[in-house]
């Protein structure tokens, strides 16, 4: 891992591999890291988040996975960010201390979503109590209102946040409210925060308003194609960047109509990478055979601008 390097570019929201009987399967993480680096050119990971079913895992499982990702990522990955959010503050704090102790490059926290913070001050108070348990580790707020139901605008949250959380480093912004994201970027130019977008099918729009990178599930298997989109965007070749965005969008639009979530992501990653990701954990249920056949056929039918 590369300490001090700013987090930018693509970050794979990692899947949690499971055995057919539903236990976590850290034994394939070494192969998974090598696959991301060599086949997808993705060198940053976000562990135990939504795609990783972090909130469906026990604290012990989350620690074990975090340890494996940090260990296998050493000298191969640039950043291993561990999501330590949970409903209970002491659990978040325990996970934050653990992430610091094992040498994670950052921690991220989701808003608690059963008893929800109702305003910025309550949310900051919660985040601050977690961040202060890992005082030397960069801290990211994980904003995902479609799942948490916590709709406090990030623009508001960021106002003066460094006074409360000196380690504050950026936001994983998994929402479609690009006005909020744009205001965050515009008002915090001097802060050097990282703004990482989390709705993969509209990443190009977020790049246009200044996002530094992206965290998402599709970078596990479409990382290389999305990297080509980032390169085209960096060279101001908008026509080419759009082609990549339209094609990843075409795939996602297709699978979303079939019913697409973490279970289906696990199935797609399994057939693309050949690494067995296993079933999801209840209440999620396995993708159907029909989904797998149709999703594979769709992905195979796409002709990418690089000729692949
Ligand atoms: C709701 C959801 O799962 N969103 C994904 C996206 O990557 C999403 O899978 C993608 O945009 C396809 O819709 C990420 O924002 C989640 C994520 O980064 C995570 O697993 O922590």
């Amino acid at each position: 891992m590369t300490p001090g390097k700013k987090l930018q570019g693509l970050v794979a929201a990692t899947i949690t591999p499971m055995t057919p009987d539903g236990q976590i399967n850290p034994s394939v993480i070494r192969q998974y890291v090598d696959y991301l680096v060599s086949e997808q050119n993705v060198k940053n990971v976000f562990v135990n988040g939504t795609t990783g079913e972090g909130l469906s895992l026990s604290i012990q499982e989350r620690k074990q996975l975090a340890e494996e990702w940090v260990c296998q990522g050493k000298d191969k990955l640039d950043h291993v960010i561990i999501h330590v959010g949970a409903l209970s503050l002491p659990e978040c704090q325990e996970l934050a201390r653990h992430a610091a102790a094992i040498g994670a490059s950052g921690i991220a926290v989701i808003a608690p979503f059963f008893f929800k913070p109702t305003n910025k001050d309550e949310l900051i108070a919660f985040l601050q109590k977690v961040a202060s348990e890992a005082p030397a580790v960069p801290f990211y707020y994980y904003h995902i209102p479609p799942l948490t139901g916590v709709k406090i605008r990030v623009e508001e949250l960021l106002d003066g946040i460094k006074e409360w959380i000196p380690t504050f480093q950026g936001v994983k912004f998994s929402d479609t409210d690009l006005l909020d994201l744009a205001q965050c970027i515009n008002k915090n130019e001097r802060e050097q925060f990282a703004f990482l977008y989390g709705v993969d099918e509209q990443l190009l729009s977020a790049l246009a308003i200044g996002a530094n990178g992206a965290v998402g599930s599709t970078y596990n298997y479409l990382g290389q194609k999305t990297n080509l989109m980032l390169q085209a965007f960096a060279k101001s070749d908008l026509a080419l960047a759009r082609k990549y965005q339209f094609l990843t969008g075409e795939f996602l639009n297709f699978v979303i109509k079939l019913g697409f979530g973490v279970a289906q992501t696990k199935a797609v990653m399994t057939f693309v990478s050949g690494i067995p990701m296993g079933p999801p954990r209840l209440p999620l249920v396995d993708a159907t055979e029909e989904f797998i056949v149709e999703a594979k056929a769709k992905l195979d039918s796409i002709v990418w601008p690089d000729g692949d």
Side-chain angles (χ1 to χ4, degrees):
M1 288 181 285
T2 321
K5 189 172 176 183
K6 186 173 173 180
L7 182 53
Q8 56 190 3
L10 296 186
V11 183
T14 61
I15 293 162
T16 292
M18 291 191 188
T19 59
D21 64 347
Q23 306 298 311
I24 62 165
N25 183 14
S27 71
V28 300
I29 290 176
R30 183 196 182 110
Q31 193 189 352
Y32 192 167
V33 169
D34 289 340
Y35 174 82
L36 287 177
V37 173
S38 60
E39 301 295 321
Q40 300 297 339
N41 193 20
V42 170
K43 295 184 80 180
N44 306 303
V45 294
F46 186 90
V47 176
N48 291 339
T50 305
T51 307
E53 301 171 86
L55 278 303
S56 303
L57 302 171
S58 70
I59 295 298
Q60 193 43 44
E61 288 174 322
R62 290 175 70 169
K63 286 184 181 175
Q64 209 182 323
L65 288 159
E67 283 166 26
E68 195 63 18
W69 277 102
V70 168
C71 172
Q72 297 303 337
K74 194 169 177 295
D75 302 327
K76 292 180 179 170
L77 299 175
D78 287 338
H79 291 269
V80 177
I81 310 295
I82 309 293
H83 173 242
V84 301
L87 292 184
S88 131
L89 180 57
E91 286 186 358
C92 297
Q93 292 174 313
E94 184 180 336
L95 289 169
R97 285 193 298 273
H98 176 261
I102 63 174
S105 15
I107 56 171
V109 175
I110 204 169
F113 52 87
F114 186 69
F115 291 129
K116 298 180 183 41
T118 58
N119 57 47
K120 165 197 164 155
D121 294 339
E122 291 168 7
L123 178 55
I124 289 200
F126 183 91
L127 300 178
Q128 193 273 336
K129 290 270 185 211
V130 185
S132 62
E133 295 292 319
V137 183
F139 180 91
Y140 299 85
Y141 171 55
Y142 180 3
H143 181 59
I144 185 157
L147 289 179
T148 60
V150 175
K151 299 193 173 114
I152 297 163
R153 284 172 68 79
V154 185
E155 174 209 351
E156 230 190 289
L157 186 79
L158 294 195
D159 189 17
I161 197 159
K162 277 252 181 190
E163 288 163 33
W164 298 96
I165 305 176
T167 50
F168 190 84
Q169 194 72 44
V171 181
K172 169 174 161 16
F173 194 103
S174 287
D175 190 25
T176 50
D177 184 351
L178 290 177
L179 173 60
D180 188 16
L181 179 63
Q183 290 302 302
C184 291
I185 293 170
N186 189 30
K187 289 185 174 168
N188 291 282
E189 236 169 324
R190 274 184 301 150
E191 297 286 1
Q192 298 279 308
F193 292 153
F195 290 101
L196 304 160
Y197 196 56
V199 185
D200 311 6
E201 47 277 49
Q202 43 196 65
L203 172 58
L204 186 55
S205 317
L207 293 177
I209 55 168
N212 311 94
V215 185
S217 67
T218 63
Y219 312 132
N220 284 294
Y221 55 91
L222 287 174
Q224 196 246 349
K225 300 302 175 199
T226 309
N227 268 316
L228 293 173
M229 180 178 92
L230 297 192
Q231 280 167 27
F233 180 76
K235 285 194 221 143
S236 301
D237 187 346
L238 262 188
L240 183 59
R242 268 191 216 118
K243 274 191 193 150
Y244 280 105
Q245 183 74 94
F246 290 159
L247 290 172
T248 53
E250 188 179 320
F251 174 69
L252 286 170
N253 197 40
F254 179 82
V255 289
I256 285 168
K257 283 183 193 157
L258 297 177
F260 187 66
V262 171
Q264 289 71 23
T265 292
K266 289 184 113 160
V268 173
M269 182 61 173
T270 300
F271 72 66
V272 176
S273 69
I275 306 169
M277 292 296 153
R281 182 163 286 176
L282 285 167
L284 303 183
V285 294
D286 234 339
T288 61
E289 263 318 304
E290 193 188 353
F291 171 89
I292 294 170
V293 170
E294 289 193 38
K296 187 170 182 332
K298 181 68 190 176
L299 200 53
D300 290 346
S301 75
I302 293 177
V303 179
W304 298 91
D306 57 317
D308 219 357

